């Protein structure tokens, strides 16, 4: 790439930022990643990420300066001065968690980035927000950049929401299904077209919008996905009452192309660092804008989702004869979804916690999420393998659909448990196979399957 190519910084190196930084280096740019946590910077500087994300360590190792055989296009720092001096385009990738005790999101990390970076911008720069923020934030932050940057109008803001899914973050970043940029100048649009030239050439649609639309695309898309999941989970509740089978129902509905099969997997519902907090922050923001009525349905989406967890606990209680007190429960899965080590607002871990509070002796096993789970719920029991987790169990709960769990041998597990009861919270196991090995099998939304 010519030396005139824009130099890129990525501020915040969590799931989003670490992946974005590595992907930008993969696209051929010189990249400087910044994080305020020195331990993260140290680890990344060795070509390793602080979290598990398929393909990410390999991508980092391919580009991080100092790693043998690497291109050296990617470095990390804790210094804002270095980042401001280095970059032409600064991507803001810090998180916006739910505020404690409120629906609204906590903008303090994003605000801190702008307050730290903008006063150091002495040369032309484009600050590009990627974090998920309440609509209206970009307008406010653009004004702050203008006020604070010594370079004046040559420092600008743009908004470029990120749609990556954990577990597919590398693929989603290198081959996005769309690129949305909220811009206020041709220069900003041109720079972002240059940054994303390769994915655009490969066919990713590039959509140019105003600030509020760019911010809304992200929250609207996540709200739609959450609604789709809660819709099928509401149908699961009806199937429970009517002796239907939600898996067959979803399959049949999905053949209608207007509906589609994806995001119609009924189970214990959605969790993670995005969907739950994003729909709540969206409701809170709509309220501030005087448009809360438009989003009251999201309240229902949220409560359908949270009910799933309680329902799973009830099924477990029924399976062990009406009381959980002193019963041994094996929980397979702790992460909010497979191929991730993320346990933030994980339905699986939440169910495990509720069972524990009701007096059960809970033992959890997860292929990648053990350390994070232990840190969040230190009072639960943990086992190093699925086989050890189910040892002596009165009931086994399948709560995160890792491939490893689909490949378990029910015959082998049957020798370890006290009682052969399996509950499938993700509708991913084959009832026939488990029943054949002498298990009672129960899944959410398919009482007769
Ligand atoms: C989500 C969005 O998909 C992504 O575009 C956005 O950028 C961030 O939020 P992510 O949080 O990684 O991504 O997870 P996702 O794959 O969407 O799954 C979210 C939750 O929904 C998981 O707990 C998953 O188990 C659950 N889910 C998903 C279902 O219960 N049923 C489904 O059919 C699909």
């Amino acid at each position: 790439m010519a030396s005139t190519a824009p130099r890129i910084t990525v501020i915040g190196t969590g799931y989003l930022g670490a992946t974005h930084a590595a992907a930008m280096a993969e696209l051929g740019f010189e990249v400087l990643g910044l994080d305020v946590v020195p331990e993260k910077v140290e680890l990344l500087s060795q070509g390793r990420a602080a979290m598990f994300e398929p393909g990410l360590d390999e991508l980092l190792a391919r580009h991080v300066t100092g790693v043998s055989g690497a291109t050296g296009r990617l470095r990390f720092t804790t210094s804002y001065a270095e980042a401001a001096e280095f970059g032409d385009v600064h991507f803001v990738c810090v998180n916006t968690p739910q505020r404690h005790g409120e629906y609204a999101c906590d903008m303090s990390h994003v605000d801190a980035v702008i307050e730290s970076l903008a006063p150091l911008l002495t040369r032309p720069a484009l600050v590009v927000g990627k974090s998920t923020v309440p609509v209206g934030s970009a307008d406010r932050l653009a004004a702050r950049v203008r006020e604070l940057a010594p370079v004046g109008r040559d420092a600008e803001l743009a908004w470029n929401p990120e749609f990556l899914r954990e577990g597919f973050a590398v693929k989603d970043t290198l081959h996005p299904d769309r690129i949305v940029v909220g811009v206020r100048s041709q220069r900003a649009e041109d720079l972002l077209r240059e940054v994303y030239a390769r994915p655009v050439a490969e066919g990713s649609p590039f959509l140019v919008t105003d600030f509020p639309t760019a911010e809304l695309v992200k929250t609207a898309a996540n709200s739609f996905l959450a609604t789709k999941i809660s819709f099928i989970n509401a149908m699961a509740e009806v199937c429970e009452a009517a002796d239907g089978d939600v898996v067959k129902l979803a399959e049949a509905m999905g053949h209608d192309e207007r509906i589609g099969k994806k995001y119609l997997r009924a189970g214990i519902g959605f969790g993670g660092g995005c969907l739950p907090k994003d729909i709540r922050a969206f409701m809170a923001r709509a309220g501030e804008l005087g448009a809360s009525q438009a989003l009251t349905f999201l309240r229902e989406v949220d409560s359908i989702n949270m009910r799933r967890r309680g329902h799973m606990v009830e099924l477990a209680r029924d399976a062990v004869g009406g009381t959980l007190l002193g019963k041994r429960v094996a929980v397979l899965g702790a992460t909010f979804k497979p191929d991730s080590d993320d346990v933030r607002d994980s339905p699986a871990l939440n169910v495990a916690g509720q069972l524990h509070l009701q007096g059960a002796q809970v033992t959890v096993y997860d292929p990648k999420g053990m350390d994070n789970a232990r840190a969040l719920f230190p009072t639960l029991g943990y086992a190093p393998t699925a086989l050890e987790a189910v040892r002596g169990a009165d009931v086994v709960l399948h709560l995160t659909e890792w491939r490893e769990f689909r490949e378990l041998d029910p015959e082998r597990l049957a020798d370890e448990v006290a009682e052969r009861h399996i509950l499938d919270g993700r509708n991913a196991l084959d009832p026939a196979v488990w029943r054949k090995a002498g298990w009672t099998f129960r899944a959410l939304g398919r009482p007769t399957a």
Side-chain angles (χ1 to χ4, degrees):
M1 182 161 294
S3 58
T4 54
R7 295 201 297 186
I8 289 173
T9 82
V10 176
I11 303 171
T13 61
Y15 288 92
L16 166 56
T19 312
H20 191 67
M24 289 293 117
E26 176 73 8
L27 293 181
F29 297 99
E30 295 289 327
V31 184
L32 181 63
L34 181 151
D35 206 288
V36 292
V37 181
E39 292 77 24
K40 276 196 194 174
V41 167
E42 213 163 287
L43 205 61
L44 285 162
S45 299
Q46 298 163 21
R48 292 191 292 141
M51 63 284 184
F52 169 73
E53 183 62 45
L56 181 55
D57 276 353
E58 291 82 346
L59 201 63
L60 286 166
R62 190 144 75 227
H63 298 293
V64 168
T65 305
V67 173
S68 96
T71 62
R73 288 198 288 264
L74 177 56
R75 290 185 298 119
F76 293 91
T77 182
T78 54
S79 159
Y80 271 101
E82 197 182 340
E85 168 59 31
F86 177 86
D88 302 301
V89 179
H90 302 278
F91 284 103
V92 181
C93 296
V94 290
N95 64 340
T96 50
Q98 187 174 341
R99 249 189 254 164
H100 196 66
E102 279 179 60
Y103 268 18
C105 87
D106 173 358
M107 284 289 288
S108 62
H109 303 295
V110 176
D111 289 337
V113 171
I114 299 299
E115 299 298 314
S116 307
L117 178 69
L120 303 170
L121 295 175
T122 53
R123 63 193 201 78
L126 182 65
V127 180
V128 184
K130 272 197 151 322
S131 307
T132 301
V133 296
V135 59
S137 302
D139 184 55
R140 176 175 67 79
L141 297 168
R144 272 318 269 165
V145 169
R146 220 173 21 245
E147 273 165 37
L148 295 172
V151 70
R153 297 173 63 85
D154 278 344
E156 242 197 284
L157 188 91
W159 213 262
N160 168 219
E162 178 57 57
F163 305 101
L164 67 79
R165 297 160 298 168
E166 286 177 29
F168 300 89
V170 171
K171 178 180 163 283
D172 286 350
T173 308
L174 286 171
H175 311 284
D177 49 20
R178 79 287 212 189
I179 297 158
V180 176
V181 298
V183 292
R184 282 188 172 164
S185 76
Q186 191 60 47
R187 170 178 160 257
E189 181 184 331
D190 291 347
L191 251 176
L192 286 167
R193 281 191 186 278
E194 197 177 345
V195 168
Y196 291 117
R198 195 157 107 194
V200 171
E202 286 172 5
S204 296
F206 189 88
L207 291 101
V208 181
T209 73
D210 50 34
F211 279 1
T213 309
E215 293 165 310
L216 282 169
V217 175
K218 173 66 191 238
T219 30
N222 273 0
S223 299
F224 188 85
L225 294 172
T227 303
K228 208 171 171 191
I229 299 168
S230 275
F231 177 86
I232 202 62
N233 281 330
M235 293 307 110
E237 289 186 9
V238 178
C239 283
E240 290 277 345
D243 280 347
D245 181 339
V246 75
V247 173
K248 276 276 179 286
L249 176 74
E251 187 189 342
M253 282 176 64
H255 283 298
D256 184 330
E257 274 181 17
R258 294 166 304 174
I259 297 173
K261 286 189 185 6
K262 290 180 180 165
Y263 275 75
L264 280 185
R265 276 181 290 110
I268 52 171
F270 59 81
C274 293
L275 298 190
K277 66 108 177 151
D278 285 355
I279 62 170
R280 291 173 195 152
F282 199 19
M283 284 186 266
R285 184 61 184 143
E288 288 168 6
L289 294 169
S292 55
Q293 218 181 1
L295 298 187
T296 43
F297 74 96
L298 286 179
R299 213 175 271 280
E300 201 53 44
V301 165
D302 199 3
S303 52
I304 292 167
N305 190 54
M306 299 310 281
R307 275 208 299 273
R308 306 307 290 161
R309 305 174 182 191
H311 187 51
M312 191 73 223
V313 173
E314 279 162 29
L315 282 185
R317 194 190 306 117
D318 289 349
V320 296
T323 172
L324 286 159
L325 206 61
K327 292 289 158 54
R328 298 171 82 101
V329 180
V331 168
L332 302 180
T335 55
F336 84 106
K337 68 175 196 183
D339 294 317
S340 167
D341 64 357
D342 196 347
V343 300
R344 284 178 294 172
D345 202 0
S346 165
L349 212 46
N350 185 289
V351 167
Q354 287 190 45
L355 293 166
H356 172 76
L357 287 177
Q358 294 192 24
Q361 293 176 42
V362 182
T363 307
V364 180
Y365 166 71
D366 187 277
K368 293 282 176 200
M370 298 292 271
D371 291 346
N372 288 341
R374 214 181 265 115
L376 202 62
F377 278 94
T379 49
L380 297 175
Y382 294 91
T385 63
L387 216 56
E388 282 164 87
V390 306
R391 197 157 288 153
D394 297 304
V395 62
V396 178
L397 274 60
H398 172 247
L399 300 184
T400 312
E401 68 278 33
W402 288 91
R403 171 192 284 269
E404 180 181 328
F405 299 148
R406 283 198 298 281
E407 290 170 352
L408 284 172
D409 176 7
E411 306 265 0
R412 176 74 190 85
L413 256 60
D415 299 337
E416 302 290 334
V417 294
E419 301 286 341
R420 297 179 191 181
H421 298 306
I422 176 111
L423 304 179
D424 185 3
R426 289 296 184 176
N427 282 313
L429 304 177
D430 185 347
V433 176
W434 287 81
R435 290 212 178 102
K436 200 163 156 260
W439 293 75
T440 68
F441 183 97
R442 183 72 162 83
L444 287 183
R446 35 189 342 206
T448 55

